[in-house]
Each structure stands twice: as structure tokens, then as C-alpha cells.
């Protein structure tokens, strides 16, 4: 009987030990750990890709902002140049009216002179008929032109006072005619300059419009790429979140199942041990059997304990003038008459002479009042030197819409930096092509 009870107790405890130490959970945990490791590796790869994509996105956004700013500058430049073109057109019309009026006045003055000439001739004939001064007649007949006649007659001291007064008045009228003729020529020259200026501005506007359209297309392409990149990042992020969520839920479910199995095994072991103890007490008829039963009971918890193991800045230099303007390359626009206010400068809106003035001001050199700077003032701002002696920092001049119509700063190597109508501030080649043809040889050293 004792042997049978001992065998029964041993069988029960071994059975419970088998329940608590089943490899099914260990195998599932190993699979989960392997899966977790794989997902973690995948997540590291995805996160690395997301970081790279995010960095690229940041770069694209910065470039996009820069291009938007440049597009705004070009829009402002186009508007300002259009205003200038309209104003110039209005000036041309007004000057044309003035010229027409002046021509009418000249015509009237010429008619008066002709009448005055007839009067003088009549008086000369009358003087001749009455036996008057022969010298007066010789002056009249010997003069090569009416103007020559007036000048020669005034030199004759024997004319009568009445004729002298007429001649003086005629002389004054002649001087007035010459003055008005000079005014007409000056206004016509100014009109021609304005017309040439307007033509050049039209070319500038076309170049700026072309540049703006190209930038707009580039901006649109960048925006499309940016959106595509965002969509890709969102898809990756969503995929990563799903994988992470699935993994966390699987781990949570597996831990819950493991905890439930552990508690069930512990409960079964307690009940089996209790039942075995009760049976042993009933079957124990002698102290020896009780001792055997106690020994079996002592061994059972030990076996259970073994089986249920838990799882587990220096000062500016003049030489810097050739590089100080590099900050505006790609960040500026050409505006005719621009760059003469802090507002224009802060937005990168220059024309050629205002840019040169700004560049030299950055290295401590004052080229005169900003409001009145022009190519005309700059060509007298320093010392004229031979183009063969040209060196970085010298001002170089070009004949564009007029003589010395454009100016830049020589940087060396046959190149200069300046505000060009089609590019804004840029470095251009003056040793070939357009600027070589326009370079007039004027070099000014500040």
C-alpha cells in the first residue's frame, strides 16, 4: 500500500511538473523575440530612411522659400520697371508737345525776322535815294547772309539812330532764335536718350520676365517633388506605425497568455498537491507510511519549484569689394533706379550704379550721395587708368543704351560683378560675348 501511494504521489507531482515546464510557451516566446528583433531592425532601417527623407525635405523647403523670395523680388522689379517705362513714355509725349510748341515759336520768330529784313532793305533803298551813307549800303550789299549783315551793320558807326535801334532789336531776336534752336536740339537729344532708355528697359523687362517664368517652373517642379516626398514619408511612417502596433499587441497578447498559463499551472499544482496530501493522510495507517508520505510531500514542492522557472570679425578691407556682393547672387533683382533706399537694398533691388555704391560702402568707401549716384558720377569718382592695367576692384564701364550706360566691379580673370538687367547681381564674363562687345575701355580706380 505504501508503495502504491508513493508511486501515485510521484506520478501526480511529475505530471504537474510537466505542465509547468512545457516547452510550448518557450517556443512561442522565442518566435516572438525573433520577430521582435526583426521588426526592430526593420524599424531602424525605416527610421534611418525617414531621417534622410526629412533632411531632404528640410533642404527642399529652404530652397523653396529662397525661390519664393526671389520670385517676389522679380515681381517687384517688373512692377517698378513697368512704372518707369510708363513714366518715360509720358515724358516722351510731354517733351514732344514742348518740341512742337517750340517749333511753332521758332517759325513765328523767323517770320518776324523776315519782316524786319524787309524793313531794313526798304530803309536802305530810301537812304540811297536821298543820297545817304554809302558805307551803310556797302555793308548791306557786301554781307554774305542776313546774320552777317546784322553783325556788320552794328559795327558801322555812321548809321542813323533809328536804324541802330532796329538792328539792335533784330540782333536780340537773332540771339533768341539761336537760344531756342539750342533748346530744341537739347530737348531732341534728351528725347532720343529717353527713347533709347525705354528700348533698353523693354529688353530688361523681357529678360526679367523670362527669368521669372523659368523660376516659376522650377519652383513648381520643386513643389511637386516636395509633395511626392511628403507622401512617401507619410506612407513609410504609417507602415512603421502599423508594424510597431502589431508587434506591441502580439507581445501584449503573448504575455497575457503566458501569465494566464502560469497562474493556471500554479493553481493546478496547488490543487493536485492538496488532493495528494489528503489521499496520503487517509491511506496512512502507520507512522512509517506517514513518514513516507511526508517525504513525498517534501519532494513535491521542490520539484515544482525547479520546474516553474520564470522566463524572462576683423575690420573691412577695400580688397573685399570684389566679394562683398556675392551674398546677392541669386538673391537680387534689377530695378532701373532701384537700390537708392534702405527698403530696396534690404530686398536686394539694385541697378548697376547703386550696387557699386553699396559694395564700396560695405568696405568703408563713400562714393557720394546714394540718391544721386549714377554711371556719370561714378566715372569721375576715381582715377582713370588704362584697361591694360586693370586690376580687381576697378570700376569697368560699358556702352549699352548710351555711352557709359553700365558699370561693374572687375574681379579678375576677365570677369566683373554687377547688377545686370537679366540676372540681378551676378558675375559676368567681359572677355568674350556680349560684355566684351559693350566694354568701352573706361577703367576707374577708386
Amino acid at each position: 500500500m505504501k508503495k502504491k501511494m508513493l508511486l501515485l504521489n510521484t506520478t501526480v507531482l511529475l505530471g504537474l511538473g510537466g505542465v509547468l515546464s512545457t516547452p510550448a510557451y518557450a517556443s512561442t516566446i522565442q518566435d516572438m523575440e525573433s520577430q521582435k528583433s526583426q521588426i526592430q531592425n526593420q524599424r531602424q532601417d525605416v527610421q534611418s530612411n525617414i531621417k534622410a527623407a526629412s533632411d531632404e525635405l528640410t533642404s527642399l523647403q529652404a530652397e523653396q522659400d529662397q525661390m519664393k523670395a526671389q520670385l517676389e523680388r522679380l515681381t517687384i522689379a517688373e512692377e517698378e520697371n513697368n512704372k518707369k517705362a510708363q513714366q518715360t513714355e509720358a515724358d516722351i509725349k510731354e517733351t514732344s508737345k514742348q518740341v512742337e510748341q517750340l517749333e511753332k515759336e521758332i517759325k513765328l520768330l523767323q517770320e518776324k525776322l523776315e519782316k524786319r529784313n524787309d524793313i531794313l532793305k526798304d530803309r536802305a533803298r530810301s537812304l540811297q535815294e536821298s543820297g545817304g551813307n554809302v558805307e551803310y549800303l556797302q555793308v548791306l550789299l557786301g554781307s554774305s547772309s542776313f546774320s552777317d549783315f546784322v553783325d556788320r551793320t552794328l559795327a558801322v558807326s555812321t548809321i542813323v539812330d533809328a536804324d541802330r535801334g532796329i538792328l539792335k532789336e533784330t540782333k536780340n531776336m537773332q540771339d533768341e532764335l539761336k537760344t531756342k534752336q539750342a533748346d530744341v536740339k537739347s530737348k531732341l537729344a534728351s528725347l532720343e536718350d529717353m527713347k533709347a532708355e525705354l528700348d533698353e528697359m523693354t529688353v530688361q523687362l523681357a529678360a526679367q520676365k523670362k527669368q521669372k517664368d523659368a523660376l516659376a517652373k522650377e519652383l513648381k517642379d520643386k513643389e511637386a517633388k516636395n509633395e511626392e516626398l511628403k507622401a512617401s514619408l507619410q506612407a513609410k511612417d504609417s507602415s512603421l506605425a502599423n508594424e510597431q502596433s502589431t508587434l506591441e499587441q502580439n507581445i501584449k497578447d503573448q504575455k497575457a497568455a503566458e501569465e494566464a498559463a502560469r497562474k493556471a499551472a500554479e493553481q493546478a499544482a496547488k490543487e493536485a498537491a492538496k488532493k495528494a496530501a489528503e489521499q496520503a493522510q487517509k491511506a496512512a495507517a502507520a507512522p512509517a507510511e506517514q513518514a513516507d508520505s511526508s517525504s513525498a510531500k517534501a519532494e513535491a514542492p521542490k520539484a515544482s519549484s525547479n520546474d516553474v522557472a520564470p522566463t524572462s570679425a576683423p575690420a573691412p578691407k577695400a580688397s573685399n569689394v570684389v566679394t562683398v556682393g556675392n551674398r546677392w547672387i541669386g538673391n537680387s533683382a534689377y530695378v532701373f533706379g532701384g537700390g537708392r533706399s534702405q527698403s530696396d537694398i534690404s530686398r536686394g533691388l539694385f541697378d548697376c550704379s547703386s550696387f557699386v555704391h553699396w559694395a564700396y560702402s560695405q568696405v568703408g568707401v563713400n562714393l557720394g550721395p546714394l540718391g544721386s549716384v549714377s554711371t556719370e558720377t561714378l566715372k569721375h569718382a576715381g582715377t582713370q587708368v588704362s584697361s591694360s592695367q586693370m586690376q580687381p576692384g576697378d570700376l569697368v564701364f560699358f556702352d549699352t543704351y548710351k555711352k557709359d550706360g553700365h558699370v561693374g566691379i572687375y574681379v579678375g580673370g576677365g570677369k566683373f560683378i554687377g547688377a545686370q538687367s537679366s540676372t540681378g547681381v551676378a558675375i559676368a564674363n567681359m572677355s568674350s560675348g556680349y560684355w566684351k562687345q559693350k566694354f568701352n575701355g573706361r577703367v576707374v580706380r577708386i
Side-chain angles (χ1 to χ4, degrees):
M1 185 62 180
K2 293 180 180 179
K3 291 181 179 180
K4 289 181 179 180
M5 292 301 298
L6 180 59
L7 180 60
L8 176 61
N9 291 338
T10 302
T11 301
V12 171
L13 293 175
L14 287 175
L16 292 174
V19 170
L20 295 176
S21 62
T22 177
Y25 294 112
S27 176
T28 302
I29 291 173
Q30 289 176 359
D31 291 343
M32 289 289 291
E33 290 294 340
S34 176
Q35 183 182 4
K36 180 179 178 180
S37 177
Q38 291 176 3
I39 293 178
Q40 285 177 333
N41 290 337
Q42 291 176 0
R43 186 178 181 184
Q44 289 178 353
D45 292 341
V46 171
Q47 288 178 340
S48 176
N49 291 335
I50 288 178
K51 185 179 183 305
S54 297
D55 292 342
E56 184 178 358
L57 178 61
T58 301
S59 177
L60 283 174
Q61 288 174 339
E63 187 175 355
Q64 185 182 27
D65 292 341
Q66 183 178 1
M67 292 194 64
K68 284 183 178 178
Q70 179 65 359
L71 192 59
E72 290 175 359
R73 275 189 288 269
L74 288 176
T75 300
I76 294 172
E78 187 177 30
E79 292 174 353
E80 292 297 325
N81 285 340
N82 277 329
K83 291 179 183 178
K84 180 65 176 179
Q86 293 171 2
Q87 182 60 49
T88 303
E89 191 69 44
D91 291 343
I92 289 175
K93 292 179 180 179
E94 180 63 27
T95 304
S96 297
K97 292 179 181 179
Q98 294 176 4
V99 169
E100 291 177 2
Q101 181 62 31
L102 192 55
E103 288 176 346
K104 292 179 181 179
E105 293 177 4
I106 290 175
K107 185 177 180 181
L108 291 175
L109 185 56
Q110 287 175 334
E111 292 174 354
K112 290 181 180 180
L113 287 175
E114 290 298 329
K115 291 178 180 180
R116 190 59 52 91
N117 188 21
D118 293 339
I119 293 173
L120 290 173
K121 288 181 180 179
D122 290 341
R123 292 186 63 80
R125 291 191 189 97
S126 176
L127 183 62
Q128 181 183 19
E129 292 172 356
S130 61
N133 192 315
V134 177
E135 186 178 4
Y136 186 16
L137 295 175
Q138 291 175 343
V139 168
L140 174 61
L141 298 175
S143 59
S144 59
S145 65
F146 181 66
S147 178
D148 183 38
F149 164 71
V150 171
D151 292 337
R152 293 176 61 167
T153 302
L154 288 175
V156 178
S157 59
T158 58
I159 17 176
V160 296
D161 291 340
D163 287 347
R164 183 180 296 278
I166 293 174
L167 290 170
K168 283 185 177 181
E169 184 178 356
T170 302
K171 176 63 175 175
N172 292 337
M173 292 175 69
Q174 269 192 324
D175 292 341
E176 182 181 357
L177 176 60
K178 290 179 180 180
T179 300
K180 289 195 174 185
Q181 284 177 330
D183 289 342
V184 170
K185 291 181 180 180
S186 176
K187 285 185 177 295
L188 285 175
S190 177
L191 184 61
E192 290 173 355
D193 285 345
M194 282 192 290
K195 183 63 170 61
E197 185 175 317
L198 181 60
D199 291 342
E200 177 66 17
M201 287 174 61
T202 301
V203 174
Q204 294 169 0
L205 287 172
Q208 288 182 343
K209 183 63 169 60
K210 183 178 180 180
Q211 183 183 17
K212 187 178 75 170
D213 290 343
L215 284 174
K217 184 179 182 303
E218 186 176 351
L219 179 60
K220 186 176 181 180
D221 293 341
K222 291 287 186 180
E223 288 176 340
K225 185 177 180 180
N226 195 10
E227 291 300 326
E228 182 180 352
L229 181 60
K230 284 183 179 179
S232 176
L233 283 173
Q234 290 170 351
K236 289 181 180 180
D237 186 61
S238 177
S239 176
L240 178 61
N242 289 336
E243 290 184 28
Q244 184 176 355
S245 177
T246 300
L247 174 62
E248 290 175 350
Q249 187 60 45
N250 289 342
I251 292 174
K252 182 178 179 181
D253 293 345
Q254 186 59 37
K255 286 184 177 181
E258 180 183 352
E259 182 66 16
R262 185 185 66 79
K263 289 182 178 180
E266 287 181 352
Q267 184 62 30
K270 288 180 180 179
E271 292 178 356
K274 181 179 180 182
K275 186 175 180 180
E278 291 175 351
Q279 291 177 352
Q281 287 177 357
K282 291 179 180 180
E289 291 179 347
Q290 292 178 355
D292 291 339
S293 178
S294 298
S295 176
K297 290 179 182 179
E299 291 177 1
K302 183 177 180 181
S304 176
S305 175
N306 289 335
D307 290 339
V308 187
T311 58
S312 52
K317 298 180 180 179
S319 59
N320 293 339
V321 73
V322 301
T323 58
V324 71
N326 290 350
R327 58 172 289 194
W328 294 116
I329 296 177
N331 296 304
S332 60
Y334 183 94
V335 174
F336 198 96
R340 285 164 179 77
S341 68
Q342 188 55 48
S343 175
D344 279 359
I345 293 173
S346 62
R347 292 181 294 174
L349 305 177
F350 296 97
D351 65 8
C352 61
S353 53
S354 65
F355 170 74
V356 169
H357 186 284
W358 174 86
Y360 267 93
S361 71
Q362 299 305 296
V363 296
V365 179
N366 185 359
L367 296 182
L370 176 60
S372 59
V373 65
S374 66
T375 54
E376 289 297 313
T377 64
L378 290 177
K379 74 181 185 181
H380 300 296
T383 303
Q384 304 279 333
V385 298
S386 170
S387 59
S388 62
Q389 298 176 336
M390 188 163 49
Q391 63 185 30
D394 289 344
L395 304 188
V396 287
F397 290 80
F398 306 84
D399 293 343
T400 52
Y401 72 95
K402 66 175 184 177
K403 179 72 174 176
D404 298 315
H406 189 71
V407 63
I409 302 172
Y410 187 65
V411 300
K415 298 180 179 180
F416 74 97
I417 186 171
Q420 277 67 263
S421 62
S422 60
T423 60
V425 176
I427 294 176
N429 190 352
M430 59 182 288
S431 59
S432 64
Y434 176 82
W435 292 112
K436 180 180 180 180
Q437 296 174 0
K438 297 298 181 179
F439 178 53
N440 61 17
R442 186 186 299 279
V443 180
V444 174
R445 184 160 299 161
I446 302 301

